[in-house]
Amino acid sequence: MILPYLTHILILIGIYTILIVSLNLALGYSGLLNLGHVALWGIGAYTSALLTIHGVPFIFSFIIAGIVTALFGLLLVFATRRLKGDYFALASLGFSFVVYSLLLNLTELTRGPLGVAGIPKPSLFGLIIKNSNYYLIFVAIISFASIFLINKIVKSGFGKLLEAMRDDEIGLRVLGKDTTKLKYKVMLVSGFFTGISGSLFAHYIGFIDPNTFYISELILLITIVIIGGIASIKGSIIATFIILSLSELIRFLPVPSSIVGPIRQITYVIVLLLILMFKPRGLFGRVDLE
Amino acid sequence: MSLILQFALNGLIAGSIYALVASGFSLIYNTNKFMHFAHGISVVVSGYILFSLFSLINLNFYLSLFSAPIYASFIGFLIFRVIYLPLQKRKASNIILLIASISTLILFQNLILLFFGANVKDIGYLEIKQGIDFYGATITPMQIIIILTSLVFFIFLYIFMNKTKLGRNMRAVSNNKELASVIGINERRISDLSFFIGSFLGGVAGVLIALEQNITPNVGVFLIIKGFTGAVIGGISSVPASVLGSYILGLVENFGIAALPSGYKDAISFILLFLFLLLKPEGLVSLRRKK
Amino acid sequence: MAEKAEKSDDEEEKEEKPKENKKSKKAEGETKAQEKEKGNSAMSVAVIIIIVLLAGYVYMGVSGNSIFPVQQNPDKSQIKIGFMGPLTGDAASYGHGIKRGVDLAFKDSGLENVKIIYEDTKCDGKEAVNAINKLINIDGVVAIVGEVCSGATLAAAPVAEENKIVLITPSSTSPGLTKAGDYVFRTIPSDTLQGKFAANLIYGMNITNLSILYGNEEYGIGLKDSLKEDFEILGGKVVSAETFERGSTDLRTQITKIRSSKPQAIYIVSNSPDSAVAALKQIKQLGLRVKLFGSEGLKGPEVASEKSAQGLIITSVSAGTTKFVEEYYDEYGLAAEPFSPQGYDAFTALAKTLKEGASTGDQIKENIYKLEFDGASGKIAFDNNGDVSGNYDVYKLGNKTFVLQQYGEFG
């Protein structure tokens, strides 16, 4: 009885880890709080789900989801390139709202509030990953690979440039580096991994609707990334583990199931407020939020 | 013709509510220089207090009606003291204040959800009657009250901000905080006051919409988004501009769905918000502050 | 004044910047080594955590149950049946009515060693998917009654199909469910039938211009399409069809548009009482004097007590046989609620298969197809899509109660 449940939590942790680390990549190295991340995740999930339902083999849907999300991420950063600080945050929040309402209203494409049901399990080289246990192994491999890659990027020369840009953008520009292009590159990478995380999510749960990618989910993401700390991959991973485990534990409280949702949200925001008040860098953060 | 008039009326009604929220938001923003997204709390708390006092405990209607926004203004003040002020003392950046603000909003929304349940609550004070005919369009008495009440409050606000000493002090702090404190204006008190007044206005919006329609836990989030959008469209750095922008938003929304399927109403405001933040973040009425 | 102040701000910033540079350079030099270590240790931490978890997991899998279980039913002595429906939220009154019907059927079946596990899915697709996964994989149910709302049932159906577990719904009427799967059944007729019935009813009342106001979800869209098609076949015209989001209570825009299309009647499709009540109120406020019709989603206590709804005509599925209504009253002291007879029948169908000795999903499925019995809502027999034929009644709302006008077989 415990076993399938543990599998379920681990799969979710795997999927969210990729998502949070990619958010942190963009946030930690551009210093901009992107509240549009949940919308990008939704775009990745919907892209993969809709493609697969229309017959595209999973491996292509998966990759295309990553690419499409990367492009939308790029679009977002490009459109908001002149905004700073809280204006950027609010514009990116606006982006999330716009995506939400488009998902809701473009019913021909997205089936609107009905959502996309019956998303098929991934099929790779003829093998259908139907069983949760196989799925866990699949997700574990992908998250491990993703984190490895992102870590490599962060450690590389490119990563150093990004840190320099975060710490002193004007100084870097003086040295002749095109910081805008750097931001775009970061967003592309971050967007790609967000997209594949969305794909993994959609194919695991089997059902997505616009409400899946809206405010409550955004609060969860922000809570995790801030608790983990900006610009710390280790922080993101550990925070994902902690918060998701906590979230699932709440389900076992002796309260009616209708209360679980609000209790979760309240827990997230209280933890978030406490962290902002007393430890705004989070557990492992190396940078403050600008 | 009557269809156009009806849409225009609907737009004015919605715009009035948005404008009440936007004016409070803008007032607080200008005085304190950060985005008080948790302003939505004043709307939803006010509505539920009206419900609790009148529909649950059966307190006198007018007593409940007038005390609800007052409670809301206290809550706004509390949020300032308990959440924002400590953060500001720790030199929190605007982003941190924004996240704290959104978090507080979600916190209250869920507390209300826990306490009152997710269903729609009806105040049940007004009788449902056919509205008054106005050249082919229909408007109910309550809707007329909404438009008039908001206009009255805006006039009061204008008089306060421009003709009273306290109001002028407030504008001084908005324009230049350091200078204002040099002159001897107590910043803290002005901030407190801005939260009281702003949240009161939000509270008024809350009772109006509760009476006209109903109250749900989400109404705070819903209206702060609209109010914020209205403020951005008009020009967030000016309270009158925010009011104007909100009326514009109400009208555009309602005329917009004349052509589009009705489900797009909110989509219109989201898209407007996004576009304005991108292209004209200072709003339509960009004021040049002269010395 | 303001401009001068701004300038000095800028100057301050420029002064601070070189200081910051010095600080960060120093910090960088010191922590470069630390950073490298941190980076490496971050990776190792991640690797270790993942390996430990996977190892622990594999260990438990090998030593405990079989590694790749298909269906878990550890407690063989007790058979579990799942129930999914809105026990909270705006459709809760339906959920509870159906639950009471199901519980009564359970009592009447006399089954021992059977347990019903209830999940509150709030008429929501995502909740339904989570619930059905839990019921199947963690609780090990052999069949499920649910969900109540078409959208939620449709969302859960693929999961039932994949796991070969029967999902039988007492109230989801969307035509989309007909082809939802081999393991999906319903004890309520599809709305293709209600659309025809309503179209005939309305047209028969000399109405040729109709407006439809429907919820933007599976149930609303399904019935709207069916009604529109059939009404137009008869020769009528659907002059406008406006939709609203589930739970939305500001429908003035939609009603304004409907008003300008000058219909003679409006048919409202909603399974959210909050929206239905709001629609009725606002129709009155906006001065629309038309005949009002509604689907059985409106046949609830909230609409009944709404003053502006008086005169509303409802097309509804069977409200239960006399025998059922009496028994329901004896048990609960209540008049039979919407869909409770259908809930009763859904559970009875499952109970009959269990009594015949079926114990796995496949066996239950096979047996259900062969069932034929007189249920609480009429004759129950499933066609090869898992659908049943329909009885529809017409009710008129007068003085806060729905009064039966006529009834008839259909389909």
Side-chain angles (χ1 to χ4, degrees):
Chain A
M1 285 265 219
I2 310 178
L3 194 57
Y5 201 63
L6 199 61
T7 312
H8 172 71
I9 301 185
L10 286 176
I11 293 177
L12 285 181
I13 291 180
I15 294 175
Y16 274 83
T17 312
I18 305 177
L19 180 64
I20 302 289
V21 170
S22 62
L23 170 59
N24 209 343
L25 177 65
L27 170 58
Y29 297 93
S30 64
L32 296 171
L33 180 67
N34 184 2
L35 297 177
H37 205 71
V38 71
L40 293 174
W41 198 40
I43 290 175
Y46 264 89
T47 308
S48 184
L50 291 171
L51 284 175
T52 326
I53 282 196
H54 285 101
V56 175
F58 173 76
I59 189 76
F60 292 128
S61 309
F62 181 74
I63 305 256
I64 295 177
I67 297 178
V68 167
T69 310
L71 291 174
F72 270 94
L74 182 64
L75 179 69
L76 172 62
V77 178
F78 174 75
T80 56
R81 65 192 178 282
R82 275 187 237 126
L83 297 177
K84 289 262 160 44
D86 48 359
Y87 270 97
F88 172 79
L90 286 164
S92 60
L93 185 62
F95 176 76
S96 282
F97 293 151
V98 171
V99 169
Y100 170 73
S101 55
L102 288 178
L103 287 176
L104 206 55
N105 283 298
L106 295 177
T107 41
E108 290 301 309
L109 181 65
T110 65
R111 294 172 45 81
L114 304 174
V116 182
I119 304 174
K121 289 282 188 295
S123 143
L124 283 178
F125 316 115
L127 188 74
I128 300 183
I129 309 186
K130 207 153 90 127
N131 193 289
S132 289
N133 308 287
Y134 289 122
Y135 207 88
L136 173 60
I137 297 176
F138 177 56
V139 166
I141 295 176
I142 307 248
S143 6
F144 188 50
S146 306
I147 295 174
F148 181 72
L149 283 172
I150 293 182
N151 194 47
K152 259 232 170 323
I153 293 176
V154 160
K155 293 275 157 292
S156 72
F158 179 66
K160 293 299 173 213
L161 264 179
L162 293 177
E163 279 189 46
M165 176 177 78
R166 175 195 67 216
D167 290 335
D168 184 358
E169 180 166 351
I170 298 188
L172 199 60
R173 279 218 214 116
V174 163
L175 286 173
K177 292 289 176 193
D178 188 339
T179 56
T180 319
K181 273 224 183 92
L182 279 177
K183 282 185 189 161
Y184 293 160
K185 285 188 190 159
V186 174
M187 199 60 227
L188 280 174
V189 174
S190 165
F192 179 79
F193 285 106
T194 307
I196 63 175
S197 169
S199 168
L200 289 175
F201 181 77
H203 289 271
Y204 175 58
I205 304 279
F207 173 84
I208 53 175
D209 67 356
N211 274 305
T212 315
F213 306 105
Y214 199 39
I215 300 182
S216 350
E217 199 61 40
L218 181 61
I219 297 287
L220 174 62
L221 298 186
I222 299 295
T223 306
I224 299 181
V225 81
I226 289 187
I227 289 181
I230 312 291
S232 161
I233 294 183
K234 173 169 73 175
S236 293
I237 299 174
I238 294 181
T240 310
F241 265 90
I242 298 177
I243 301 293
L244 281 184
S245 311
L246 188 64
S247 162
E248 287 300 313
L249 281 174
I250 291 179
R251 192 197 282 267
F252 289 103
L253 287 176
V255 287
S257 66
S258 52
I259 299 207
V260 169
I263 290 191
R264 276 200 183 130
Q265 291 284 296
I266 292 176
T267 312
Y268 300 153
V269 295
I270 289 186
V271 171
L272 190 51
L273 283 169
L274 289 174
I275 288 269
L276 288 176
M277 199 75 80
F278 300 113
K279 211 176 189 317
R281 283 205 175 180
L283 294 174
F284 298 96
R286 295 185 289 137
V287 181
D288 286 319
L289 275 171
E290 290 290 323
Chain B
M1 178 56 208
S2 63
L3 192 60
I4 296 183
L5 189 56
Q6 184 70 62
F7 282 136
L9 281 179
N10 290 351
L12 279 181
I13 300 165
S16 301
I17 302 268
Y18 300 160
L20 280 168
V21 178
S23 59
F25 178 81
S26 174
L27 183 66
I28 294 174
Y29 174 75
N30 281 313
T31 313
N32 300 280
K33 298 293 184 245
F34 66 85
M35 310 249 188
H36 173 50
F37 241 76
H39 185 53
I41 295 175
S42 57
V43 178
V44 67
V45 161
S46 170
Y48 273 92
I49 289 187
L50 174 62
F51 174 74
S52 307
L53 292 180
F54 176 65
S55 315
L56 287 184
I57 313 185
N58 285 317
L59 201 63
N60 171 274
F61 175 72
Y62 287 100
L63 192 58
S64 317
L65 182 67
F66 291 129
S67 46
I70 296 180
Y71 277 112
S73 58
F74 267 99
I75 303 250
F77 165 70
L78 269 176
I79 294 176
F80 170 57
R81 286 300 185 109
V82 171
I83 307 230
Y84 295 136
L85 207 50
L87 282 173
Q88 280 182 319
K89 283 200 183 132
R90 290 162 225 260
K91 308 263 189 224
S93 67
N94 269 10
I95 287 275
I96 292 189
L97 289 172
L98 179 67
I99 301 178
S101 193
I102 297 179
S103 305
T104 313
L105 177 63
I106 301 291
L107 175 65
F108 270 82
Q109 178 183 339
N110 280 288
L111 285 173
I112 290 180
L113 186 59
L114 270 187
F115 205 65
F116 288 94
N119 346 26
V120 165
K121 300 276 189 267
D122 216 319
I123 303 291
Y125 178 69
L126 297 170
E127 201 191 310
I128 306 299
K129 275 195 293 203
Q130 176 169 338
I132 304 171
D133 184 63
F134 184 70
Y135 295 105
T138 316
I139 189 165
T140 66
M142 183 65 214
Q143 292 167 344
I144 299 180
I145 291 178
I146 290 180
I147 298 182
L148 290 178
T149 309
S150 42
L151 285 177
V152 162
F153 272 103
F154 295 142
I155 295 176
F156 273 146
L157 192 61
Y158 181 77
I159 295 177
F160 173 76
M161 295 298 278
N162 290 296
K163 308 284 181 203
T164 69
K165 181 153 187 259
L166 212 48
R168 279 202 295 255
N169 286 352
M170 213 174 220
R171 290 176 60 214
V173 171
S174 298
N175 287 343
N176 191 324
K177 205 177 258 193
E178 283 93 14
L179 206 56
S181 59
V182 163
I183 297 180
I185 299 176
N186 187 330
E187 246 181 77
R188 176 69 54 76
R189 257 202 230 136
I190 296 290
S191 288
D192 290 340
L193 189 64
S194 72
F195 274 92
F196 268 113
I197 298 180
S199 308
F200 184 83
L201 290 168
V204 172
V207 293
L208 286 177
I209 199 155
L211 286 170
E212 155 68 5
Q213 285 177 35
N214 49 49
I215 192 91
T216 76
N218 309 336
V219 74
V221 175
F222 180 73
L223 281 181
I224 185 61
I225 294 176
K226 299 284 174 149
F228 174 66
T229 305
V232 166
I233 290 177
I236 204 172
S237 46
S238 146
V239 175
S242 303
V243 169
L244 181 65
S246 303
Y247 278 104
I248 294 177
L249 176 65
L251 289 167
V252 171
E253 266 188 355
N254 278 283
F255 278 110
I257 39 86
L260 297 166
S262 319
Y264 276 88
K265 182 139 71 127
D266 293 336
I268 294 178
S269 50
F270 293 150
I271 294 177
L272 278 176
L273 174 65
F274 189 54
L275 287 177
F276 265 85
L277 282 173
L278 289 187
L279 303 170
K280 213 171 186 345
E282 67 278 9
L284 290 174
V285 184
S286 30
L287 298 176
R288 287 274 170 86
R289 289 275 154 113
K290 292 218 178 121
K291 183 202 145 176
Chain C
M1 264 301 188
E3 282 169 309
K4 269 198 190 155
E6 276 173 313
K7 270 198 196 141
S8 56
D9 273 349
D10 277 346
E11 282 172 343
E12 265 185 81
E13 263 186 52
K14 284 193 189 138
E15 276 181 272
E16 273 178 56
K17 272 219 165 66
K19 280 195 208 147
E20 264 179 26
N21 278 341
K22 287 189 191 151
K23 259 195 220 157
S24 57
K25 270 199 187 139
K26 226 183 172 183
E28 248 197 83
E30 276 176 288
T31 56
K32 240 184 202 152
Q34 280 182 352
E35 264 187 53
K36 213 169 185 178
E37 243 184 73
K38 267 194 195 162
N40 283 339
S41 63
M43 275 319 294
S44 6
V45 169
V47 172
I48 290 175
I49 291 181
I50 292 178
I51 290 183
V52 163
L53 281 171
L54 282 178
Y57 159 82
V58 170
Y59 167 75
M60 276 194 283
V62 171
S63 66
N65 318 312
S66 72
I67 298 193
F68 302 120
V70 173
Q71 219 178 82
Q72 286 218 330
N73 197 359
D75 190 353
K76 282 270 155 70
S77 61
Q78 201 179 47
I79 297 183
K80 303 206 185 90
I81 298 203
F83 173 92
M84 296 196 315
L87 299 174
T88 56
D90 55 2
S93 50
Y94 302 126
H96 282 284
I98 293 173
K99 178 173 178 291
R100 283 191 266 267
V102 166
D103 289 340
L104 187 57
F106 184 28
K107 182 169 170 219
D108 285 350
S109 70
L111 282 170
E112 291 163 359
N113 275 331
V114 171
K115 183 173 175 216
I116 305 182
I117 301 185
Y118 303 92
E119 287 291 323
D120 177 9
T121 46
K122 308 180 187 114
C123 203
D124 178 59
K126 208 155 81 228
E127 298 280 339
V129 170
N130 284 334
I132 197 173
N133 273 309
K134 173 185 174 281
L135 286 169
I136 294 179
N137 291 315
I138 299 183
D139 297 309
V141 300
V142 297
I144 301 177
V145 175
E147 217 255 4
V148 167
C149 302
S150 299
T153 309
L154 213 53
V159 182
E161 275 300 293
E162 204 183 298
N163 288 284
K164 300 197 195 307
I165 297 281
V166 164
L167 179 67
I168 181 164
T169 168
S171 55
S172 297
T173 52
S174 166
L177 275 162
T178 303
K179 297 280 177 205
D182 207 21
Y183 290 80
V184 180
F185 297 84
R186 51 179 158 192
T187 48
I188 192 173
S190 155
D191 273 336
T192 40
L193 298 173
Q194 182 165 184
K196 251 203 204 115
F197 181 79
N200 275 293
L201 176 71
I202 298 174
Y203 196 74
M205 291 173 96
N206 282 325
I207 292 172
T208 48
N209 287 2
L210 176 68
S211 235
I212 308 179
L213 180 60
Y214 62 102
N216 191 12
E217 52 186 332
E218 190 61 43
Y219 171 62
I221 297 174
L223 184 48
K224 176 226 26 139
D225 285 338
S226 168
L227 174 60
K228 181 166 193 278
E229 192 183 317
D230 290 311
F231 194 68
E232 286 177 350
I233 288 177
L234 287 172
K237 185 159 177 260
V238 173
V239 294
S240 55
E242 289 292 321
T243 185
F244 56 90
E245 296 311 315
R246 187 193 171 72
S248 166
T249 54
D250 180 1
L251 307 181
R252 277 172 310 175
T253 309
Q254 290 88 336
I255 297 173
T256 303
K257 284 183 171 179
I258 287 180
R259 189 174 72 174
S260 71
S261 70
K262 302 206 203 316
Q264 294 164 294
I266 304 180
Y267 189 94
I268 303 177
V269 187
S270 171
N271 54 18
S272 160
D274 291 332
S275 299
V277 167
L280 292 162
K281 282 186 180 162
Q282 285 155 17
I283 288 175
K284 183 160 190 201
Q285 279 179 334
L286 280 165
L288 271 160
R289 295 236 173 91
V290 294
K291 257 202 147 37
L292 292 174
F293 295 88
S295 62
E296 78 268 290
L298 275 76
K299 188 168 171 285
E302 300 89 343
V303 174
S305 50
E306 174 54 43
K307 268 207 280 183
S308 41
Q310 302 302 308
L312 174 67
I313 296 179
I314 300 246
T315 55
S316 158
V317 289
S318 163
T321 59
T322 333
K323 176 165 167 268
F324 173 76
V325 171
E326 273 172 16
E327 207 194 320
Y328 200 86
Y329 190 77
D330 284 337
E331 178 77 13
Y332 297 113
L334 296 168
E337 296 167 272
F339 312 117
S340 48
Q342 287 80 7
Y344 185 97
D345 288 339
F347 188 85
T348 306
L350 290 178
K352 285 189 188 290
T353 64
L354 289 176
K355 282 190 190 154
E356 284 168 20
S359 59
T360 67
D362 275 317
Q363 291 170 341
I364 295 178
K365 174 197 71 149
E366 290 304 321
N367 282 16
I368 290 198
Y369 275 117
K370 300 186 203 137
L371 278 179
E372 207 177 296
F373 63 95
D374 285 323
S377 61
K379 181 138 172 270
I380 299 289
F382 300 98
D383 65 16
N384 50 9
N385 283 318
D387 279 351
V388 294
S389 63
N391 293 330
Y392 287 102
D393 302 334
V394 179
Y395 290 82
K396 191 167 183 177
L397 181 60
N399 222 359
K400 299 201 180 171
T401 23
F402 286 101
V403 180
L404 182 61
Q405 307 285 103
Q406 71 185 73
Y407 53 77
E409 283 273 336
F410 222 82

